[in-house]
Amino acid sequence: MNSLKTKNSKRDRSLYVSLKLPQQLKARLDDVTTGDTAVYKKTALIRYLLTEFFQARDSGRKVINLAID
């Protein structure tokens, strides 16, 4: 199941995370998540990465399974 395509409730959308990224990483994130050619939005990409991280952690795995469509 691709968790990037799931809809979130209004309650889920009201939660925000603020973080500082190095400028180079922020620029790369902006490049792939904004504009007409963006495959993912920032929120969806970050949600996907965190979900995979915690699934691996909770199951005792040392590897995160990622798929880039």
Side-chain angles (χ1 to χ4, degrees), residues 5-59:
K5 295 180 182 176
T6 59
K7 280 280 194 181
N8 296 310
S9 69
K10 287 183 180 183
R11 186 182 69 136
D12 290 339
R13 288 183 288 182
S14 68
L15 303 174
Y16 293 93
V17 174
S18 177
L19 62 123
K20 291 186 179 188
L21 297 172
Q23 260 186 334
Q24 185 178 11
L25 185 57
K26 171 71 167 76
R28 292 186 75 188
L29 179 63
D30 288 344
D31 286 345
V32 298
T33 58
T34 56
D36 295 335
T37 60
V39 176
Y40 305 119
K41 298 294 181 195
K42 283 182 188 138
T43 301
L45 178 59
I46 292 168
R47 183 180 298 118
Y48 174 64
L49 294 171
L50 287 173
T51 299
E52 292 302 320
F53 169 80
F54 285 116
Q55 285 178 354
R57 185 173 185 261
D58 293 346
S59 64

